[in-house]
Amino acid sequence: MDFITLLLFAVGLCFDSFAVSLSCGMSCCACTRRRMFRFAAVLGLCQGLTPLVGWAVATNFRTVIEAYDHWIAFVLLLFLGGKMIWESFGEEDEAHLKGNPFAWGRNVMLGVATSIDALVAGIAMALLPLTIVPSESQLLNMLAAVFIIALVTLVSSLTGLYLGRRSRGKLGERAELIGGIILILIGIKVLAEHLSEV
């Protein structure tokens, strides 16, 4: 996985956080910039760290599944993308709008909830060679990936909060649909690249 693919990967993953931020922004009447930044930072941190956990677990099993790693990565990304597309057509879950989403406890809960998919994505990342920085160390490349995913999520969450305060539309549902399509396309790219090498 190179830098451009990772960037698309991060964009695909962050759409859950974007949709939640958009909804929370709609319910936010008089929240300060500091609280909005903290909210987005918690989402970004959770989204960045959970792939690292998935990657660390899957790395230990990589030698066992190396012959099928491209198929596993493809299926995982297909599953994640399909799940996001499916959820984009479902009824909006407004549980996160009850209470104050900017309170610490609820903020962390939303961060964890929106990053569960990123845990599975981290497993898929362990099955692919990472070439984000010019180093042979996969750990160093993964840490760079964590930083990029967290940064992209932070920016998208701040954008979602801003747009949410200014609109009352259905942009959140479209965001999940776009994110799902991006993840499926990355999965197809991974499989196609492996099959072309065979």
Side-chain angles (χ1 to χ4, degrees):
M1 180 179 289
D2 59 14
F3 178 77
I4 300 299
T5 304
L6 174 69
L7 204 55
L8 290 170
F9 194 73
V11 168
L13 283 176
C14 80
F15 276 111
D16 272 351
S17 298
F18 175 79
V20 165
S21 299
L22 190 70
S23 297
C24 290
M26 288 178 191
S27 68
C28 170
C29 297
C31 50
T32 64
R33 289 181 182 174
R34 182 178 176 182
R35 295 182 85 188
M36 290 172 68
F37 183 81
R38 187 191 74 191
F39 178 88
V42 169
L43 264 59
L45 190 63
C46 289
Q47 194 83 320
L49 290 178
T50 48
L52 182 61
V53 173
W55 177 85
V57 170
T59 298
N60 294 323
F61 300 102
R62 183 172 179 155
T63 54
V64 178
I65 55 176
E66 205 160 18
Y68 310 101
D69 59 1
H70 53 284
W71 285 104
I72 295 170
F74 169 70
V75 169
L76 287 173
L77 292 171
L78 192 67
F79 169 76
L80 286 177
K83 180 176 174 282
M84 288 179 73
I85 291 171
W86 176 265
E87 288 173 353
S88 75
F89 291 107
E91 288 187 21
E92 186 178 352
D93 179 12
E94 296 190 358
H96 59 276
L97 297 178
K98 295 174 183 172
N100 179 10
F102 297 93
W104 264 112
R106 191 167 297 272
N107 192 178
V108 171
M109 181 188 73
L110 287 172
V112 171
T114 56
S115 62
I116 297 299
D117 290 349
L119 182 69
V120 179
I123 295 171
M125 291 174 76
L127 305 175
L128 306 170
L130 300 175
T131 56
I132 297 146
V133 294
S135 171
E136 294 295 320
S137 170
Q138 288 298 289
L139 177 59
L140 187 61
N141 274 281
M142 188 59 196
L143 291 176
V146 165
F147 176 76
I148 292 166
I149 291 169
L151 184 63
V152 167
T153 303
L154 170 72
V155 171
S156 72
S157 297
L158 285 172
T159 304
L161 287 169
Y162 176 79
L163 292 174
R165 291 180 72 181
R166 302 266 183 286
S167 71
R168 296 291 186 269
K170 296 275 186 180
L171 188 58
E173 293 173 10
R174 291 190 197 107
E176 282 193 310
L177 176 65
I178 293 166
I181 291 169
I182 289 173
L183 290 179
I184 288 173
L185 290 175
I186 291 172
I188 292 169
K189 178 181 179 283
V190 166
L191 186 62
E193 282 177 352
H194 178 79
L195 293 178
S196 68
E197 292 172 3
V198 175

